[in-house]
């Protein structure tokens, strides 16, 4: 089985670096290291397997993130993304000289980070493999990110398709163009409208509790007039869903 995507963070603001590490680990990436200067990053790359590097352009060393990007391009065949507070023309033009696989401007949300990484990895792998399709790629295309089996659903995370049992899904939250599929111990991001996703789930267990939520009724721990609780998550409910749950409880 493929390993989780291993990421190196190069960021001299320790608070931002820790925040990025938490966001990434929550999604399911593995952090190889979290370093603040060019020299440390070069050392980590030399001694560890790294799939992708997130680089702050301004570092606490004489050499910048752009120098590190140049070193990666010359020495390794891996993608990197610049993460910076600077989006002025001079910085962007300078950054372009080393051909980064992404450019993320602070402040950003977890979703922005996830999207940038997935697009960078996807584009990098596509460019690396050229136009040739392997048998594995054909299979991957057949198992789409929302493929449904009788008792489970496949969800893509990094380069793997994880099979999730319907019984393990607690709730699904709509967030812009993405859905957060929450299981007992993991969270998956899926690109799909909530309405379409509901159609893939068993009708007797999953209900649209609110315009932004689908819930598995088997996981409801508590209810009041406005919310339900699932695994310590408070989820708002519509009037119709509240009436449905109360009538189910009393029947």
């Amino acid at each position: 089985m493929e390993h989780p995507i291993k990421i190196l963070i190069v960021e001299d603001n320790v608070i931002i670096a820790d925040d990025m590490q938490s966001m990434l680990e929550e999604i399911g990436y593995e952090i190889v290291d979290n370093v603040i200067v060019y020299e440390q990053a070069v050392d980590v790359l030399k001694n560890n397997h790294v799939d992708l590097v997130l680089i702050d352009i301004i570092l606490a060393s004489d050499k910048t993130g752009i120098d590190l990007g140049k070193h990666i391009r010359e020495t390794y065949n891996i993608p990197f993304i610049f993460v910076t507070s600077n989006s002025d023309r001079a910085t962007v033009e300078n950054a372009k000289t080393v051909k980064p696989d992404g450019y993320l401007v602070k402040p950003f949300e977890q979703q922005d980070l996830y999207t940038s990484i997935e697009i960078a990895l996807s584009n990098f792998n596509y460019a690396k493999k050229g136009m040739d399709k392997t048998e594995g790629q054909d299979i991957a295309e057949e198992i789409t990110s929302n493929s449904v089996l009788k008792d489970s659903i496949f969800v893509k995370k990094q380069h793997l398709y994880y099979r999730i049992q319907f019984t393990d899904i607690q709730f699904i939250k709509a967030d812009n163009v993405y859905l957060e599929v929450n299981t007992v111990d993991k969270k998956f991001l899926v690109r799909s409208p909530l309405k379409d996703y509901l159609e893939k789930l068993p009708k007797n267990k999953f209900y649209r509790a609110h315009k932004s939520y689908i819930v598995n009724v088997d996981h409801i721990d508590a209810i009041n007039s406005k919310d339900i609780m699932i695994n310590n998550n408070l989820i708002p409910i519509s009037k119709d869903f509240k009436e449905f749950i109360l009538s189910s409880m009393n029947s």
Side-chain angles (χ1 to χ4, degrees):
M1 184 175 275
E2 283 185 55
H3 59 73
I5 299 301
K6 295 176 185 288
I7 294 177
L8 168 62
I9 298 171
V10 188
E11 164 65 71
D12 65 354
N13 183 315
V14 179
I15 294 169
I16 292 173
D18 286 348
D19 193 34
M20 281 169 66
Q21 179 159 347
S22 298
M23 285 189 209
L24 293 166
E25 286 175 341
E26 191 176 286
I27 298 168
Y29 299 118
E30 186 177 315
I31 306 306
V32 177
D33 211 334
N34 198 328
V35 300
I36 61 171
V37 292
Y38 173 93
E39 293 75 17
Q40 288 175 315
V42 168
D43 193 46
V44 172
L45 285 163
K46 188 177 171 185
N47 296 304
N48 297 273
H49 174 86
V50 176
D51 294 310
L52 179 138
V53 191
L54 293 166
I55 310 171
D56 186 9
I57 290 179
I58 309 300
L59 297 172
S61 49
D62 290 337
K63 293 206 166 185
T64 67
I66 291 171
D67 293 318
L68 180 59
K70 188 168 186 281
H71 172 74
I72 292 169
R73 277 284 168 267
E74 290 170 352
T75 319
Y76 303 98
N77 190 23
I78 57 172
F80 63 88
I81 296 171
F82 283 137
V83 181
T84 180
S85 335
N86 303 304
S87 55
D88 60 277
R89 181 170 294 207
T91 304
V92 172
E93 288 302 317
N94 203 6
K96 275 163 63 179
T97 61
V98 291
K99 299 185 165 44
D101 299 277
Y103 194 98
L104 197 54
V105 179
K106 302 172 194 168
F108 49 78
E109 300 294 327
Q110 185 182 44
Q111 226 166 267
D112 304 322
L113 199 52
Y114 170 80
T115 307
S116 296
I117 290 168
E118 288 299 313
I119 288 171
L121 288 167
S122 173
N123 288 346
F124 188 82
N125 288 330
Y126 182 77
K128 197 163 69 172
K129 289 172 184 170
M131 298 303 286
D132 295 326
K133 280 192 177 181
T134 64
E135 187 183 340
Q137 281 174 294
D138 289 335
I139 291 167
E141 282 171 13
E142 284 174 31
I143 303 177
T144 66
S145 59
N146 302 330
S147 287
V148 180
L149 295 181
K150 201 165 95 178
D151 59 352
S152 54
I153 193 164
F154 276 100
V155 176
K156 186 169 186 264
K157 188 168 187 175
Q158 289 123 49
H159 302 313
L160 294 175
Y161 290 88
Y162 288 83
R163 183 177 178 176
I164 306 174
Q165 298 290 321
F166 288 135
T167 52
D168 290 340
I169 299 174
Q170 295 186 324
F171 66 92
I172 297 161
K173 178 186 176 186
D175 191 358
N176 292 327
V177 295
Y178 289 94
L179 301 179
E180 262 181 28
V181 180
N182 290 265
T183 67
V184 178
D185 57 349
K186 288 189 180 68
K187 189 184 289 185
F188 298 88
L189 282 177
V190 175
R191 197 178 176 100
S192 169
L194 197 66
K195 179 171 160 287
D196 292 356
Y197 213 73
L198 181 58
E199 289 171 9
K200 302 174 191 296
L201 301 168
K203 304 282 185 285
N204 60 333
K205 297 292 179 191
F206 289 90
Y207 294 89
R208 193 159 180 173
H210 178 268
K211 64 180 180 181
S212 301
Y213 286 89
I214 294 169
V215 300
N216 182 342
V217 291
D218 286 347
H219 285 281
I220 296 173
D221 298 317
I223 182 169
N224 65 20
S225 60
K226 293 184 295 185
D227 312 282
I228 52 172
M229 185 173 277
I230 296 180
N231 194 19
N232 291 322
N233 292 281
L234 213 54
I235 295 169
I237 55 174
S238 66
K239 182 170 173 286
D240 288 348
F241 185 73
K242 183 184 83 167
E243 286 170 3
F244 162 73
I245 287 295
L246 291 175
S247 65
S248 301
M249 285 164 56
N250 295 330
S251 60

